[in-house]
Amino acid sequence: MGAQKSIHAGKAKIDVNVDFTHKLCASLMLPPLSNGSGSPLSLIIGSLCIKHPNLFGGSEKLDVSWDKGLYDSNVLMAYRRPRPEWLAQQSFVVQHSISPEIGVHGIPMDNFSRSGSGGVNLSRLSVGMDLNEPASSKWSSTTSIKFEHVRPLNDNGQSMSRDLDGFPVTCSGSPHDSMVILKQESRYAKANDHSFFHFSLQIEQGIPVLSKWLIFNKFKFVASKGVKLGPAFLLTRMTGGSIVGDMAPYQAFAIGGLGSVRGYGEGAVGSGRSCLVANSELTLPFNKMLEGAVFLDCGTDLGSAHHVPGNPALRQGKPGSGVGLGYGLRFKSQFGHFVVDYAINACQQKTVYFGISNLAS
């Protein structure tokens, strides 16, 4: 249940979307993550988007968006200047977000089937520029450079430098981390009537502008393959990555949860400097709007959990590897593709997921 409204103000367009359905989902699925006041507004999710297609009369585009979730919020401002098609398209981006850090600092519960709050939230402020290179027939790439300021907060919104066990939550040991990140992302896509293949590679380099700023190199890849098998469709995906150099605990790869290893809570399998996750899913259509699915997921931190500062995964007893299997339904509508999954993990604990399917993304 929700409301959506578009307003045109001159050349600008304002989109407002308010959704009350998360109130029911939250009461059924999610444990409380904070000690907030419990006001009615805290149980509403929604978004506000303002777009101007010609800000200064030269086709400059300005997008401002605000998204509010149950426990998180995100404000994004992007300014784009027109350039010839054969040149990289520039975007100047300012973003601020606040969200619970569950993947690394969350506490596994109910035989790792869900994760509760570890009392750590992240406030991120970033300012930077994106360069989107002209795409070829199958390849595309984006280069970006940004300054990022990360400040951990407790559930009362106050700055913190140590977690509930007294271990540092930042790399610097102070209440915040700062870094300049140069990022390169390359994407490959190939598709025909019977199959598709997608591959993406992200490489991030922390640049030591100042002596206390983080220096690191991080890479992550995602490869997915889809094949038609008669009326059914088989989708497989492999994700992996690693980070070397300076590292804060919140930069670890979190394994477990929807989009990772189903049957486990977010990050309940483990968190490490490296990771490898494999997903496979077979879907069979019942009609034009409804599909059934069976799936098998597995993931591992490749034994790298003890290399994360403070050893959060080992302190919380996370296994470091896990397997989840189950079945579910895929519902297609004009509002999006929705998924309901029933999964069981290696500890034989059952979990039900509600959300938006993103396995092929």
Side-chain angles (χ1 to χ4, degrees):
M1 181 177 65
Q4 185 172 357
K5 180 70 175 179
S6 294
I7 303 171
H8 292 270
K11 294 183 178 180
K13 180 182 179 184
I14 303 175
D15 293 324
V16 181
N17 180 38
V18 180
D19 189 355
F20 299 92
T21 57
H22 249 62
K23 182 174 182 179
L24 175 61
C25 292
S27 63
L28 292 175
M29 295 177 58
L30 300 176
L33 297 179
S34 64
N35 300 322
S37 61
S39 66
L41 290 178
S42 66
L43 292 177
I44 297 176
I45 67 171
S47 62
L48 173 65
C49 183
I50 303 173
K51 298 183 179 182
H52 199 297
N54 192 18
L55 187 62
F56 299 117
S59 299
E60 302 90 349
K61 294 179 173 61
L62 177 67
D63 295 342
V64 180
S65 63
W66 173 65
D67 296 288
K68 181 190 176 299
L70 284 173
Y71 309 108
D72 60 345
S73 66
N74 182 68
V75 178
L76 175 67
M77 181 176 66
Y79 170 73
R80 301 174 178 86
R81 295 188 305 178
R83 304 187 74 191
E85 294 183 358
W86 63 85
L87 296 177
Q89 301 302 304
Q90 292 180 344
S91 300
F92 299 91
V93 181
V94 179
Q95 185 173 13
H96 179 260
S97 65
I98 299 178
S99 60
E101 207 303 289
I102 301 297
V104 175
H105 293 284
I107 301 173
M109 306 171 68
D110 297 338
N111 285 332
F112 304 98
S113 64
R114 62 189 181 98
S115 297
S117 172
V120 179
N121 306 272
L122 295 181
S123 171
R124 295 178 183 264
L125 173 64
S126 64
V127 180
M129 180 178 67
D130 296 340
L131 292 173
N132 293 294
E133 300 292 338
S136 65
S137 58
K138 297 177 181 178
W139 283 96
S140 62
S141 65
T142 301
T143 302
S144 64
I145 185 167
K146 66 178 179 179
F147 166 79
E148 185 169 279
H149 181 83
V150 182
R151 185 163 61 98
L153 307 173
N154 60 23
D155 287 339
N156 296 319
Q158 299 174 335
S159 296
M160 61 187 300
S161 59
R162 296 184 178 273
D163 61 20
L164 299 177
D165 296 326
F167 289 85
V169 293
T170 61
C171 180
S172 63
S174 68
H176 61 81
D177 283 329
S178 297
M179 62 200 87
V180 171
I181 303 174
L182 177 64
K183 179 180 177 180
Q184 172 72 39
E185 180 176 4
S186 299
R187 297 170 296 273
Y188 175 85
K190 180 181 180 181
N192 55 43
D193 294 338
H194 303 285
S195 65
F196 75 84
F197 176 73
H198 292 167
F199 178 79
S200 69
L201 175 65
Q202 299 177 6
I203 299 177
E204 297 182 5
Q205 176 67 56
I207 302 175
V209 178
L210 297 179
S211 60
K212 293 184 179 180
W213 290 9
L214 276 63
I215 309 172
F216 62 89
N217 185 272
K218 181 179 182 179
F219 82 90
K220 178 182 178 181
F221 73 87
V222 180
S224 57
K225 174 76 172 180
V227 180
K228 281 188 177 181
L229 301 175
F233 191 81
L234 176 64
L235 181 61
T236 60
R237 184 179 68 175
M238 179 167 288
T239 305
S242 187
I243 180 172
V244 295
D246 296 338
M247 177 186 182
Y250 56 78
Q251 292 179 298
F253 293 93
I255 308 164
L258 186 63
S260 178
V261 182
R262 287 164 283 190
Y264 291 83
E266 182 181 352
V269 173
S271 54
R273 277 187 176 262
S274 303
C275 78
L276 191 63
V277 176
N279 311 95
S280 59
E281 180 172 295
L282 182 68
T283 58
L284 184 66
F286 297 140
N287 53 47
K288 292 183 178 180
M289 299 180 64
L290 186 64
E291 294 179 339
V294 292
F295 56 84
L296 173 67
D297 302 332
C298 58
T300 174
D301 62 15
L302 299 173
S304 64
H306 64 283
H307 294 300
V308 177
N311 294 337
L314 299 180
R315 285 189 281 120
Q316 295 153 5
K318 297 180 181 180
S321 61
V323 177
L325 57 90
Y327 57 89
L329 295 174
R330 310 288 180 262
F331 179 71
K332 300 178 181 179
S333 75
Q334 59 180 340
F335 303 106
H337 294 185
F338 300 92
V339 57
V340 179
D341 282 340
Y342 177 87
I344 184 170
N345 62 27
C347 299
Q348 298 186 349
Q349 182 66 38
K350 305 174 182 65
T351 307
V352 178
Y353 295 100
F354 300 88
I356 299 176
S357 178
N358 61 354
L359 184 59
S361 62

